[in-house]
Amino acid sequence: MVAILVAAIAMFAVGALWFTVIFGRLWSRLMNFTPEASAKAMQGGMTTKMIAMFTLNLISASVLPMFLLLSYSQFLFVVFIIWIGFTLPALVNTYLWEGKSLKLVAINAGGSLAAFVAGSIALYSLQ
């Protein structure tokens, strides 16, 4: 259980860095966030959204131990296959049907892959 918690924390931390420090400005612009909208989001419900995101990270981290019997490289390959087979298509859907830009899809897809890898490394290291 500790390994799952640490993996979820790693996923959350990487996501936070990805969408603030690394791509925050570009991501906000591509999401059409105005300074006013960003300030409003910070006031109303940001904590709830962060708790929800951490809970989702816990769910993802809870699935990963099913693959821990594999070697490290096989484990990371399975994580990549899960990402490319399920996460990436869902994100590309936002381009196809919601009119989001490919740059935004790439940032979101990269962030989800980076989070999966961070959580996987943490989980595998603590097994």
Side-chain angles (χ1 to χ4, degrees):
M1 186 61 181
V2 170
I4 291 171
L5 182 61
V6 171
I9 291 169
M11 293 171 78
F12 189 83
V14 166
L17 286 172
W18 192 270
F19 291 103
T20 57
V21 176
I22 300 171
F23 290 106
R25 286 186 183 176
L26 178 58
W27 182 80
S28 292
R29 186 171 49 84
L30 293 171
M31 288 291 293
N32 297 318
F33 287 162
T34 62
E36 296 81 22
S38 296
K40 184 177 178 182
M42 295 296 278
Q43 292 173 347
M46 188 62 101
T47 301
T48 303
K49 290 175 184 176
M50 292 177 92
I51 290 169
M53 192 66 240
F54 185 75
T55 302
L56 294 169
N57 288 334
L58 275 172
I59 292 169
S60 294
S62 296
V63 172
L64 293 175
M66 292 182 203
F67 307 105
L68 284 176
L69 297 175
L70 302 171
S71 71
Y72 187 64
S73 60
Q74 290 171 325
F75 179 70
L76 288 178
F77 182 71
V78 166
V79 168
F80 178 74
I81 293 300
I82 290 168
W83 174 81
I84 204 164
F86 297 98
T87 305
L88 185 60
L91 292 171
V92 171
N93 183 57
T94 65
Y95 167 74
L96 296 173
W97 297 103
E98 297 174 20
K100 302 293 183 184
S101 74
L102 282 176
K103 282 184 185 179
L104 180 62
V105 171
I107 291 169
N108 289 339
S112 69
L113 181 59
F116 267 133
V117 169
S120 299
I121 291 169
L123 188 67
Y124 202 89
S125 299
L126 294 171
Q127 72 160 337

